[in-house]
Amino acid sequence: MLAAMQAEKIIGIVGGVGPFAGLDLQQKILQETTAARDQDYLSVISISQPGEIPDRTAYLLTETAVSVNPAIPITRQLLTLERAGAQIAGIPCNSAHAAPIFDAIRSGLQQAGSQLTLLHMIDEVARFLRQHMSGVQRVGVLSTTGTRLARIYPAALEPAGFTVLTPSETVQTELIHPAIYDPEYGIKANGRATAKSRSDLLTGVAALQQAGAQAIILGCTEIPLALTESQIDGIPLVDATRVLARALIREAVVAGS
Amino acid sequence: MLAAMQAEKIIGIVGGVGPFAGLDLQQKILQETTAARDQDYLSVISISQPGEIPDRTAYLLTETAVSVNPAIPITRQLLTLERAGAQIAGIPCNSAHAAPIFDAIRSGLQQAGSQLTLLHMIDEVARFLRQHMSGVQRVGVLSTTGTRLARIYPAALEPAGFTVLTPSETVQTELIHPAIYDPEYGIKANGRATAKSRSDLLTGVAALQQAGAQAIILGCTEIPLALTESQIDGIPLVDATRVLARALIREAVVAGS
C-alpha cells in the first residue's frame, strides 16, 4: 500500500482496451492507495472509447495495409487525457505494448509536442520481477495470441536474464486465447470470468508450472478478472494490471512530493 | 439489459464523489450493456479528482459562508468532460443533488454556455419507481445525513404521490451515516463493505421494513457497495447508481439512433 497524502500529478488511463480492464486498473489504483476520505485519493481521468480502437491482437496478426494501427486512436485519446489535465498515463492492454503499436504511440505523442509521461506496462513488470522476485529466473506468461506472437514479454525479460516460458501452441490456440476472446464464454464478452474461461486458464497455469515456471505473469489485462488469487500451488501470479497501478501511483506521488 | 449496437453520445462521469461510487457507476454501465466485443461498449469518460471536491454532506450541514460549494469544482469537471467529448453526464453522489448544490451546478453550466445534458439521479429514481414498481406507495430511503436533512428524496417523491420513510434519528446518526463515513469501518475509507458497515445498514433496512416500507432506495452511492442484493426479505432494494447507469445508457443510445 502506498500512501497518497497529497494528490499530486494527475493519472490518465486509456480505458477502452478493454473496458473491463480499464475499470480493473482504476480499481487497483484505489486498492493500492491508503486513504480515509474521498479527498485523499489520487486524481484519475479515464477515457473509455472502445469503439474507436481496433482490436490490438487482430492488428498484430494481420497488421499491414488493410487495418488501422490502434496506435492512432490511442494517441488521440492520450492527447485528450493530457488536455483534460493528465500528466502521467498508462494503457491497460498488453498487446498495445507490442513495438508496432507502442512505438507509433510514442512517436505520435512526440510529434504532437506532448509532455505526458507514458509508462510502459511490460517494462514495469520486468522492474517488478527484479525488485520483488529476485529468486525467480524462469517466468511463464499467459497472454493473447497477439502479445505472444509479438514476443512482447521475451523482448522485455530476456535481456534482463529471465527465461520466458509460454504454453504450447495447442493450449494457446484452443484454451488461452478463447478464454479471453470467445464471444460466448470469453472474459471480454462477459466482463468477468466464466467457469470455462477460468478452468481453461488454470490448465495454462498448470502447463507452465510443469514446464518449470517459478512465477506466472498474467500478461493480458483480462486474465486477472478470472485468476484473482496471488498464487496457485505456491507459484506467484504477477498481475500486470496491478503492477501498472502501483507504477502510476509511484509516479503520481514521487513526482509531486 | 440495453443493447448498444452503435456507440452514440459519449457519457461523462464526475467520478470523485466518491471514487468508489464513480467506479461502481462505470461498472454498472458495462453490466447493463449487451456487447460481445470491446468495440461494442459505449464511450465513457470519467474524471475522478476527489481532492478538488469538498464533502457534500459537510457542505449541506454547515453550508454558507465558511465552506466552498462543491458545485464549483463539480461544474469545472463537467466542463472538462464536455471539452473531452462528453455529451451526457451523471454525478454518482446523491448529496450533490441537494438544491443548494445541484441548482448551482445547473446555473454554472448555463453561464458557461454548456451543451451538456446533465441527468438528475433522484428524478431518475422517481421515474424508475413509477415505471417499474407501480404497486409501491411507501418508500424507505437510506442515505447520508446530508441527503436526509436536505430532503432530497421527499422533494422528488412526495409530489409524485409517494410516502417517504427514513430511519429514526438515532439509527441515522449512530448507524447509517457512520456506515458510510466512519474512518475505520466506513465504506468510503475501505472502498468496500466491512462487516460492521453492512450489518448497520441491514439494521436500517429492517427498521424501514418494520415502518411499512414497500421498497427501499439505496440513496447514497456507497450503500450498494455493501448491500449488493436486489431484495431483502421480499422488499426490493432500489440502487440509485444502477438507475443512473440505465438512464445514461438510455440517453446515449436513444439520442443517437
Side-chain angles (χ1 to χ4, degrees):
Chain A
M1 301 285 270
L2 303 167
M5 295 309 290
Q6 65 282 67
E8 305 297 353
K9 293 211 176 182
I10 298 176
I11 296 170
I13 294 177
V14 177
V17 289
F20 289 93
L23 267 190
D24 191 43
L25 176 58
Q26 290 179 65
Q27 184 94 45
K28 282 165 183 163
I29 290 172
L30 293 178
Q31 284 170 359
E32 296 286 337
T33 309
T34 305
R37 307 175 311 146
D38 286 356
Q39 287 75 15
D40 296 334
Y41 285 97
L42 292 168
S43 291
V44 176
I45 305 178
S46 155
I47 293 187
S48 178
Q49 289 188 269
E52 290 206 347
I53 306 179
D55 188 78
R56 284 69 62 198
T57 283
Y59 178 74
L60 293 173
L61 296 183
T62 62
E63 209 177 327
T64 73
V66 288
S67 36
V68 173
N69 191 334
I72 295 170
I74 290 175
T75 305
R76 197 164 54 226
Q77 292 180 16
L78 284 166
L79 293 171
T80 303
L81 285 167
E82 186 174 19
R83 277 194 304 274
Q87 295 150 288
I88 309 158
I91 306 170
C93 171
N94 287 266
S95 305
H97 291 76
I101 301 177
F102 201 82
D103 292 353
I105 295 171
R106 280 252 162 96
S107 75
L109 289 178
Q110 200 171 10
Q111 277 168 34
S114 170
Q115 298 296 308
L116 202 60
T117 303
L118 177 62
L119 299 190
H120 188 291
M121 180 163 60
I122 320 302
D123 289 349
E124 293 294 340
V125 171
R127 179 179 182 151
F128 177 85
L129 289 173
R130 282 196 307 272
Q131 290 186 344
H132 298 284
M133 298 198 172
S134 56
V136 167
Q137 197 274 321
R138 291 183 308 282
V139 182
V141 179
L142 290 176
S143 73
T144 63
T145 300
T147 295
R148 175 194 175 102
L149 291 182
R151 295 185 49 76
I152 299 176
Y153 275 96
L157 296 182
E158 286 176 359
F162 294 101
T163 302
V164 176
L165 307 171
T166 53
S168 70
E169 208 174 311
T170 312
V171 169
Q172 177 66 32
T173 313
E174 294 180 5
L175 302 181
I176 307 304
H177 195 76
I180 300 158
Y181 274 95
D182 188 274
E184 293 296 322
Y185 65 83
I187 302 169
K188 281 186 185 286
N190 292 276
R192 56 179 181 78
T194 55
K196 178 157 172 57
S197 62
R198 178 169 161 85
S199 97
D200 288 354
L201 290 168
L202 286 173
T203 303
V205 168
L208 291 171
Q209 185 175 4
Q210 208 151 25
Q214 297 162 299
I216 294 173
I217 297 170
L218 309 184
C220 165
T221 46
E222 264 77 26
I223 298 176
L225 305 178
L227 303 181
T228 55
E229 47 270 88
S230 62
Q231 54 162 31
I232 289 180
D233 291 341
I235 307 283
L237 303 184
V238 178
D239 172 356
T241 306
R242 190 175 294 279
V243 169
L244 179 59
R246 293 181 63 96
L248 287 165
I249 296 169
R250 178 192 74 215
E251 293 296 316
V253 176
V254 167
S257 55
Chain B
M1 304 286 269
L2 303 167
M5 295 311 289
Q6 64 283 68
E8 304 299 352
K9 293 210 175 182
I10 298 175
I11 296 169
I13 295 177
V14 177
V17 290
F20 290 93
L23 266 189
D24 192 41
L25 176 58
Q26 291 178 65
Q27 183 94 46
K28 282 166 182 163
I29 290 172
L30 294 178
Q31 284 170 358
E32 295 285 336
T33 309
T34 307
R37 308 175 310 148
D38 286 357
Q39 288 75 15
D40 296 334
Y41 286 96
L42 291 167
S43 291
V44 176
I45 305 177
S46 155
I47 294 188
S48 179
Q49 289 187 268
E52 292 207 348
I53 306 180
D55 188 78
R56 284 68 62 197
T57 282
Y59 178 74
L60 293 173
L61 297 183
T62 61
E63 210 180 327
T64 72
V66 287
S67 35
V68 174
N69 191 335
I72 295 169
I74 290 175
T75 305
R76 197 164 54 227
Q77 292 180 17
L78 284 166
L79 293 171
T80 304
L81 285 167
E82 187 175 17
R83 276 194 303 275
Q87 295 150 288
I88 309 159
I91 306 170
C93 171
N94 286 266
S95 306
H97 290 76
I101 301 176
F102 201 81
D103 292 353
I105 295 170
R106 279 252 162 96
S107 74
L109 289 178
Q110 202 172 10
Q111 278 167 34
S114 169
Q115 298 296 308
L116 203 59
T117 302
L118 177 62
L119 299 190
H120 188 291
M121 180 165 58
I122 320 302
D123 290 348
E124 293 295 339
V125 171
R127 178 180 183 151
F128 177 86
L129 289 173
R130 281 195 307 273
Q131 290 185 346
H132 298 284
M133 297 197 173
S134 55
V136 167
Q137 198 275 321
R138 291 184 309 282
V139 182
V141 179
L142 289 176
S143 73
T144 64
T145 300
T147 294
R148 174 195 176 100
L149 292 181
R151 295 186 48 76
I152 299 176
Y153 276 97
L157 296 182
E158 286 176 359
F162 294 101
T163 302
V164 176
L165 308 170
T166 53
S168 70
E169 209 175 310
T170 314
V171 169
Q172 177 66 32
T173 313
E174 294 180 6
L175 302 181
I176 308 304
H177 194 76
I180 300 158
Y181 274 95
D182 189 273
E184 293 297 322
Y185 65 82
I187 302 168
K188 280 186 185 288
N190 291 276
R192 56 179 181 78
T194 56
K196 178 158 171 58
S197 62
R198 179 171 160 85
S199 97
D200 287 354
L201 289 169
L202 286 173
T203 303
V205 168
L208 290 171
Q209 185 175 5
Q210 207 151 24
Q214 299 163 296
I216 294 173
I217 296 169
L218 309 183
C220 165
T221 45
E222 264 78 25
I223 298 178
L225 306 178
L227 303 181
T228 54
E229 47 270 88
S230 61
Q231 55 163 33
I232 290 180
D233 291 341
I235 308 281
L237 303 183
V238 179
D239 172 356
T241 306
R242 189 175 294 278
V243 170
L244 179 59
R246 293 181 63 94
L248 288 165
I249 296 169
R250 178 194 72 215
E251 293 296 315
V253 176
V254 167
S257 55

